[in-house]
Amino acid sequence: MRYAMAMDTKKCVGCADCVVACQTENNVPEGYCRDWIVENVDGTYPLLDLEIRSERCNHCEDTPCVRTCPTGASHVIEGGIVKVTHEECIGCGACIESCPYDARYFHPDGYVDKCTFCDHRVEAGDTTACVSVCPTEALTFGDLDDSESPITKLLKTRKWKVNAEEAGTKPQVYFLT
Amino acid sequence: MKERLFTSGRDMLNIDPVVNAWHWEIPAYLFLGGLAAGLVFFASFYYLRGKEDQMPTAVKIAPFIAPIAIVLGLIFLLLDLKHKLYFWQLYTTIRLDSPMSWGAWTLGVVMPLSVIWPLLYLDDLKKYFWNRNIVIYEIIDWLEKLINDFDFTKTIMGWFKENQKAIAWANIILSVILGVYTGILLSAFNARPLWNTAILGPLFLTSGISTAAATIMWMAYDHYEKVRFSRIDLWLIAVELFLITHMFMGLSSGTSASMDAAALFLGGPYTVVFWVGVVGMGLLFPAVLESMELLGYKVPIAIPAFFIILGGAIFRFVMVDAGQFSKYFFQ
Ligand code: SF4
Ligand code: SF4
């Protein structure tokens, strides 16, 4: 099993429904978020290119955040989902410093928090909260080891990129372009 | 003109617009760790070479600062944690991949060992502080009486004295590990392009040793020892300058992320504090003063010593701060 997400930059309108859905589903404290919207404008006027992305933890294959964690609070579970055990986290910030995507934050209660790919929903056979609410169906979540899954097919047929590939973490959130 | 505009809808504490998870505690911790490592190293090194009487400050006097620095460092590390009550979890596992983990362990082991060393030289410390600082003198005196009051403490001290050579060897190994650790802690974080350079380890190590050498030089009462440490410091400054040049050459010929990181110091927001504060005030200025001293001019040794120590501290603050400023993504 290798869970991953595909994010269609051609479909995303930046409505931030995914952000709100995540905050509600996961009780994210006010002023914080586990996923967020980024807008990129590129080019020479008037030939400007606009790209909107919904970003989150990339549940990287090669996880610097897990490697640098001194207590083992940051760990990888079945399907490659990267999680933090709150009771083991001492809030040293090592994992925050080692994530090239700044996907982690200090929860006001002291521990580090981040996207969990909604593992509690996924375990129950459901999909993630952000995917379930996206009105344009720009988000696809699934198992890359399953050749029949929609995400595997998308990545076969569409062009894609990942964020900051040069950071060497092998991110598992794919941006369809 | 080609435009590039990056807008993030996020504004999170300590994360946006740049990561700011580590504040003053971590650089202070790194500075104290480097200083303690240097002091312990010099003490055991000269002791093992039989230079106890030629280098009395390095072997007998200065090492009393090491345990104080280490305890302070551990307190700062604790202060940096957001989940403070859980700090003990640092000592429930050893994770060799995580520099935070083995560093905390090293400090935990070095701490008790570094207390032993100055206890072996209480008499010399008393003599040193007799006309310098009466409060410290009284504390040491009290401590000595306390040890002599009980038979078992006397036995333990006797045992330490007999095995001082073994302790010195353990100290030398641990001080090297500690020094290297304070250096490579930052380089283990590839996510920050500025820290992602192999030069940073040796550079922090050298700078840590040089702050220790400066401390010993400052405290030394014997001319021969002062001159020796002044020379050592000059050498270390030369090595640091070489490594700094090397670091910038490496960064500026790397990827665009590391070039951006180098640019923070070459015209960017950290230019003045780095080149004036660290290189000018902390390296070149004391180097000139020390060379003058060695050439026979009278310079109060406290001045170069102070600036070397201050420069070493600023260097750590700048590197931790600027590192968090540098990132793979355009802002
Ligand atoms: S995106 Fe960051 S937090 Fe998530 S797995 Fe990768 S390195 Fe770790
Ligand atoms: S902040 Fe918590 S999860 Fe992150 S590295 Fe430290 S102990 Fe591990």
Side-chain angles (χ1 to χ4, degrees):
Chain A
M1 204 124 64
R2 174 66 253 196
Y3 288 124
M5 192 174 279
M7 199 271 123
D8 195 337
T9 59
K10 293 278 181 278
K11 280 186 181 166
C12 179
V13 291
C15 68
D17 265 6
C18 48
V19 180
V20 178
C22 171
Q23 286 165 330
T24 321
E25 172 76 28
N26 297 302
N27 272 323
V28 179
E30 211 179 310
Y32 297 87
C33 54
R34 291 181 179 183
D35 55 350
W36 59 94
I37 303 294
V38 157
E39 265 180 50
N40 243 358
V41 181
D42 238 327
T44 316
Y45 183 82
L47 298 171
L48 291 173
D49 204 15
L50 171 71
E51 181 179 290
I52 305 175
R53 296 193 300 264
S54 162
E55 294 185 352
R56 57 192 48 54
C57 164
N58 291 280
H59 296 275
C60 305
E61 184 100 42
D62 208 331
T63 44
C65 49
V66 172
R67 180 171 56 81
T68 53
C69 176
T71 66
S74 282
H75 62 287
V76 184
I77 61 166
E78 173 72 22
I81 297 179
V82 178
K83 286 202 70 183
V84 183
T85 312
H86 299 164
E87 298 75 32
E88 277 174 26
C89 171
I90 57 174
C92 67
C95 55
I96 295 187
E97 297 290 357
S98 62
C99 170
Y101 307 96
D102 300 348
R104 295 167 164 247
Y105 62 90
F106 287 121
H107 191 283
D109 287 346
Y111 52 81
V112 160
D113 200 26
K114 63 181 272 298
C115 162
T116 58
F117 261 176
C118 280
D119 64 322
H120 59 291
R121 291 171 60 109
V122 172
E123 239 169 56
D126 211 348
T127 186
T128 69
C130 49
V131 169
S132 71
V133 296
C134 179
T136 62
E137 293 182 344
L139 295 168
T140 313
F141 176 83
D143 179 6
L144 286 182
D145 284 346
D146 172 2
S147 54
E148 291 307 307
S149 68
I151 183 168
T152 315
K153 285 188 182 144
L154 267 176
L155 293 184
K156 258 187 206 138
T157 51
R158 296 275 302 269
K159 266 206 211 154
W160 52 263
K161 61 174 184 188
V162 291
N163 270 343
E165 196 178 6
E166 65 277 22
T169 62
K170 304 202 187 86
Q172 297 300 317
V173 172
Y174 297 86
F175 295 94
L176 307 173
T177 55
Chain B
M1 199 190 74
K2 196 166 158 53
E3 293 187 49
R4 172 164 267 193
L5 197 74
F6 179 80
T7 328
S8 168
R10 201 175 66 166
D11 184 17
M12 264 194 305
L13 197 67
N14 292 326
I15 303 292
D16 296 311
V18 289
V19 169
N20 190 15
W22 287 346
H23 308 106
W24 61 272
E25 296 92 341
I26 292 287
Y29 162 70
L30 293 179
F31 169 75
L32 290 167
L35 175 66
L39 289 173
V40 172
F41 177 83
F42 280 124
S44 5
F45 178 74
Y46 283 119
Y47 171 80
L48 286 172
R49 293 196 50 193
K51 298 227 168 137
E52 210 175 346
D53 295 319
Q54 271 162 299
M55 300 286 190
T57 320
V59 178
K60 302 173 183 172
I61 312 294
F64 92 95
I65 298 175
I68 301 173
I70 294 173
V71 170
L72 263 182
L74 278 169
I75 293 177
F76 289 160
L77 175 65
L78 179 68
L79 283 181
D80 169 69
L81 303 182
K82 295 277 184 302
H83 227 182
K84 294 188 182 45
L85 289 178
Y86 286 68
F87 84 96
W88 49 270
Q89 309 237 28
L90 270 175
Y91 295 103
T92 54
T93 39
I94 301 187
R95 305 195 65 253
L96 288 180
D97 272 356
S98 160
M100 267 279 185
S101 170
W102 60 265
W105 275 100
T106 313
L107 276 172
V109 177
V110 172
M111 215 262 289
L113 270 176
S114 67
V115 177
I116 298 174
W117 196 269
L119 288 182
L120 296 170
Y121 293 104
L122 286 181
D123 268 339
D124 301 275
L125 280 168
K126 257 168 74 176
K127 244 183 260 153
Y128 182 83
F129 283 112
W130 166 240
N131 50 7
R132 286 189 168 83
N133 190 324
I134 199 70
V135 180
I136 303 185
Y137 174 85
E138 290 293 343
I139 297 177
I140 301 169
D141 193 45
W142 174 79
L143 206 70
E144 200 177 27
K145 287 210 182 91
L146 196 74
I147 292 178
N148 287 329
D149 264 357
F150 300 101
D151 274 342
F152 78 97
T153 39
K154 268 197 280 189
T155 323
I156 297 178
M157 287 315 296
W159 187 80
F160 284 155
K161 195 83 214 165
E162 268 167 40
N163 295 294
Q164 195 174 355
K165 221 177 190 143
I167 297 176
W169 273 112
N171 270 348
I172 237 177
I173 295 167
L174 284 168
S175 67
V176 170
I177 298 179
L178 179 60
V180 169
Y181 155 67
T182 64
I184 66 169
L185 175 69
L186 296 182
S187 353
F189 295 94
N190 323 18
R192 314 290 145 200
L194 176 65
W195 298 342
N196 193 5
T197 150
I199 303 289
L200 209 57
L203 184 51
F204 268 32
L205 179 63
T206 322
S207 145
I209 299 174
S210 91
T211 52
T215 311
I216 298 171
M217 172 176 94
W218 193 345
M219 296 178 76
Y221 46 87
D222 169 90
H223 183 69
Y224 170 77
E225 198 179 12
K226 257 196 205 327
V227 172
R228 276 306 286 271
F229 273 96
S230 192
R231 288 233 176 92
I232 293 178
D233 252 330
L234 269 178
W235 270 109
L236 291 170
I237 289 176
V239 174
E240 276 180 73
L241 288 172
F242 167 76
L243 289 174
I244 287 175
T245 321
H246 214 74
M247 178 175 83
F248 281 111
M249 275 166 53
L251 285 174
S252 346
S253 55
T255 62
S256 69
S258 54
M259 282 192 233
D260 287 349
L264 293 174
F265 297 89
L266 307 169
Y270 294 92
T271 312
V272 176
V273 55
F274 185 77
W275 296 105
V276 178
V278 177
V279 176
M281 201 179 74
L283 296 174
L284 296 177
F285 179 58
V288 170
L289 288 184
E290 284 183 354
S291 317
M292 282 168 60
E293 165 90 30
L294 290 178
L295 289 175
Y297 294 91
K298 267 269 146 275
V299 182
I301 205 81
I303 300 177
F306 172 76
F307 281 106
I308 291 175
I309 297 170
L310 185 69
I314 300 178
F315 178 49
R316 279 159 183 75
F317 279 90
V318 170
M319 288 312 277
V320 169
D321 210 50
Q324 298 186 90
F325 206 85
S326 71
K327 50 160 71 186
Y328 277 98
F329 286 114
F330 31 90
Q331 321 271 320

